Structure formats: structure tokens, C-alpha cells
Amino acid sequence: MNIKEMEMNNMNQDILRFSYSGFQHSVLYSKYKLHSNARNQPIFKFKNFVVSPGSRSIHVDGNRVSLGSRAFDLLVILLSSPGSIVSKDEIFDYVWPSTVVEESNLRVQMNQVRKLLGHFGEVIVNVPGRGYLFVAEVTTEWPDKEAC
């Protein structure tokens, strides 16, 4: 990240750096605004879930379900790095930017995410002292530009 990107990141707390491993046998780094147009963000798919950060929606078996905004952001940051540990500091910086919160807040939001996932809740693994790991296979799809 160069100086200009760091300045832009400091100005807009909604920017997140996503990384996708396995994309053309390399790592792809891109930036997406969480609340920007949906065509600028991938749609995450795993099991019977479809998560669209652009429209801030979650569908399970084709039916839209609701999840609080902090829990939604927590799920998005985990989905953005499947198979990689996301540190608690990264989670706090993303889900609660410019806010000091207790670790219990993270546990409450994680419980909400796991409750939504139901019996798939085990796809989120707590790595003691390090953070959280999303272990299910996640595919990404880019929305059709004409549809946005």
C-alpha cells in the first residue's frame, strides 16, 4: 500500500483490503467500499448462503435473512479471507472503526453470526490468541455490470 492509499484509507474507514488466494494461482488484492455500488464488490457464496456486501444482504436457500450490521461486517471480513486467520485487531479495526470496544462485543457478534449459520457454525474456528478462521470453501462472483 502506498502513501496515497494509506491516506485515503485513513480518510474513509469503510475501505477494506480483501485478499483472495487461489485466483489465477496468485493472490489478488483489491479494495472495495462496503457501501458503494454492488458492481465494485464480489458476492460470496458458501454452502447454501449467498452474501452480498454491496447490497448488504444475505440469502439462505434463496430466502433473504437479516443479520445486524456489526455481525454482517464480521461475516464479510471472515469471508474475505477464507482459510486465513483474521486477527482480532483486524476485526476490531474493520467492524468497529475509530471505536474502543470490549472483547465481549466481538463474542456477542460472533454468536449472532454462528446462530445465523446454524449447524454450519463450525466453519468459523477460534484460534486462541490469534483470531478467527473461516474454513468452508468460499467462491466469489462479480455482479453483472448491466444488472447494477
Side-chain angles (χ1 to χ4, degrees):
M1 184 183 302
N2 63 36
I3 300 294
K4 184 166 182 121
E5 288 174 319
M6 287 183 355
E7 288 172 0
M8 288 173 56
N9 194 22
N10 289 336
M11 289 171 42
N12 186 347
Q13 293 295 318
D14 291 336
I15 294 177
L16 169 68
R17 180 172 288 277
F18 288 88
S19 65
Y20 304 98
S21 59
F23 185 80
Q24 296 181 349
H25 305 293
S26 63
V27 175
L28 169 69
Y29 291 97
S30 300
K31 284 190 202 172
Y32 307 98
K33 282 187 171 183
L34 248 184
H35 305 288
S36 69
N37 193 315
R39 73 173 169 255
N40 296 328
Q41 299 175 61
I43 295 171
F44 299 104
K45 295 181 176 185
F46 66 98
K47 307 284 185 189
N48 56 335
F49 293 83
V50 177
V51 179
S52 177
S55 63
R56 295 189 65 81
S57 66
I58 301 172
H59 288 82
V60 181
D61 294 325
N63 299 312
R64 189 172 180 143
V65 296
S66 64
L67 187 64
S69 65
R70 301 289 188 189
F72 182 88
D73 290 344
L74 175 57
L75 180 59
V76 168
I77 195 169
L78 293 173
L79 290 172
S80 71
S81 299
S84 298
I85 296 172
V86 181
S87 74
K88 289 180 182 179
D89 288 340
E90 290 171 307
I91 292 170
F92 285 126
D93 288 345
Y94 181 68
V95 177
W96 292 276
S98 306
T99 307
V100 177
V101 295
E102 299 286 327
E103 193 165 325
S104 62
N105 291 320
L106 175 56
R107 286 192 298 272
V108 167
Q109 299 307 319
M110 184 60 71
N111 285 337
Q112 292 298 313
V113 172
R114 287 185 168 139
K115 183 177 178 182
L116 173 78
L117 298 178
H119 65 278
F120 293 123
E122 73 274 1
V123 300
I124 300 173
V125 176
N126 181 11
V127 181
R130 305 263 324 268
Y132 292 89
L133 176 66
F134 194 88
V135 296
E137 182 178 339
V138 177
T139 59
T140 56
E141 182 179 290
W142 294 89
D144 184 21
K145 289 184 180 179
E146 286 89 37
C148 297

